[in-house]
Amino acid sequence: MSTTTTTPPAARPAPLSQRSPGSGFRKFKNSSATVVLTAAMVLAMIPLVLIIFEVTRRGIGVVNLDFFTQTEPPPRREGGGYAAGFVGTLYIMALAVLMSIPFGIATAVYIVEYGPNRLTSSIRFFTDVMTGIPSIFVGLFVYGLLVIGWGGMGFGTFVGAVAIAVMMLPIVTRSAEEMLRLVPNELRNASYGLGARKWQTIVHTVLPAAAPGLATGSMLAVARGIGETAPLLLTAFGSGLVVTAMQGSAQGAVPMQLYRGAAQPFEAGVDRAWGAALCLFVLVVLFTIVARWIGSRASVGSR
């Protein structure tokens, strides 16, 4: 006697009239959350858009070739530029990058690849504390340690770069640590399986895989450092002339000239300050774009 089995028909979705009454409420909650989050995003963007618009509107008419090649004239006089500030900013930031980014990434590598231990816990704690320290405290610390410590002559480009590097170092360290933790352990294990040593795995596998994030985090630190004013007021002291000396001469910087120009009661000086603000904004954007491009090329090359 043969038996036949019948396969039940595939389940079909219930008609809308027979569905759970809670489904409509869930759709309503989902739509409401979407609307609320979108509105929050728009509200958060409004101040940024207004700032960009106002800085561009007030500064675009001031920025020209002379603004980058001429020094600042007396406050009442129109024209001129912030050549001294641009040279000083690039000089200081170049030194600060050399001081902070390699040490910050090396610290993050030690925390992630050689921890956890008591030392890495202490490093992470002090890094978190340094991230929240006001910049004026950093300026006072470097002022007392180097400016006064060198008999009152320790001011200028190098000391200003040290102050900016102290501000950048915890940002580089924390961002690099998070990026290194995102590298899958499978990549490390594959490198070890091929016979690579730990330092070879870090240099040839971990760092290239985390390169885009490391570049982005470094640029965040540069963006923080390039706009700092308080540490430079206490270490670089500011100058209206182009200075190439490493130490012993006051060095100019765009943030300091911007601060002093905005505090002037003369319209010409205030207009130059708006132009400097626009240039700082453009510099930060350019650094970020270049960093993302370098990081993406490094990521492709490591595959």
Side-chain angles (χ1 to χ4, degrees):
M1 180 176 179
S2 62
T3 59
T4 58
T5 58
T6 59
T7 303
R12 296 181 180 179
L16 292 177
S17 59
Q18 299 180 7
R19 291 186 183 180
S20 172
S23 61
F25 182 65
R26 287 194 296 269
K27 288 184 177 181
F28 172 76
K29 289 196 298 182
N30 181 62
S31 301
S32 300
T34 302
V35 171
V36 170
L37 293 176
T38 303
M41 181 195 67
V42 172
L43 288 176
M45 290 292 294
I46 288 175
L48 177 61
V49 173
L50 291 177
I51 291 173
I52 294 175
F53 173 77
E54 185 66 14
V55 170
T56 303
R57 184 181 69 87
R58 298 289 297 270
I60 193 66
V62 183
V63 179
N64 50 39
L65 182 60
D66 292 341
F67 192 76
F68 298 98
T69 58
Q70 296 183 5
T71 56
E72 185 178 9
R76 293 177 180 270
R77 187 181 303 172
E78 296 183 357
Y82 282 1
F86 288 111
V87 172
T89 295
L90 294 178
Y91 200 176
I92 291 173
M93 289 305 302
L95 292 176
V97 165
L98 293 176
M99 295 178 190
S100 61
I101 292 180
F103 286 106
I105 293 178
T107 303
V109 168
Y110 177 78
I111 293 174
V112 175
E113 302 297 331
Y114 295 91
N117 53 52
R118 292 182 179 179
L119 181 57
T120 57
S121 300
S122 300
I123 293 173
R124 187 180 296 108
F125 172 76
F126 285 109
T127 300
D128 292 337
V129 172
M130 289 176 61
T131 304
I133 291 179
S135 59
I136 187 65
F137 291 166
V138 175
L140 287 172
F141 168 75
V142 177
Y143 175 81
L145 181 66
L146 297 181
V147 177
I148 297 179
W150 283 353
M153 293 301 294
F155 61 89
T157 305
F158 178 76
V159 176
V162 170
I164 298 300
V166 172
M167 297 295 302
M168 294 171 56
L169 184 60
I171 301 175
V172 175
T173 302
R174 290 298 288 155
S175 61
E177 179 186 351
E178 296 301 324
M179 292 302 104
L180 292 174
R181 291 190 186 279
L182 293 177
V183 177
N185 285 328
E186 288 79 4
L187 293 179
R188 297 180 175 88
N189 294 334
S191 178
Y192 294 144
L194 293 174
R197 297 181 179 180
K198 193 176 188 65
W199 71 267
Q200 293 173 323
T201 300
I202 294 172
V203 173
H204 298 291
T205 302
V206 176
L207 290 179
L214 296 177
T216 302
S218 299
M219 287 304 103
L220 289 175
V222 171
R224 170 74 185 274
I226 202 171
E228 287 293 342
T229 305
L232 296 180
L233 290 174
L234 296 170
T235 55
F237 291 177
S239 174
L241 302 176
V242 177
V243 177
T244 58
M246 180 72 71
Q247 197 62 22
S249 299
Q251 178 64 274
V254 174
M256 286 191 291
Q257 288 189 290
L258 191 158
Y259 167 75
R260 291 169 178 168
Q264 295 173 5
F266 306 108
E267 185 177 356
V270 174
D271 289 340
R272 283 191 291 269
W274 282 109
L278 178 60
C279 291
L280 281 178
F281 172 75
V282 173
L283 279 175
V284 171
V285 172
L286 288 177
F287 279 135
T288 304
I289 293 174
V290 171
R292 294 298 298 173
W293 179 79
I294 294 174
S296 63
R297 291 295 296 270
S299 179
V300 172
S302 65
R303 293 177 183 175

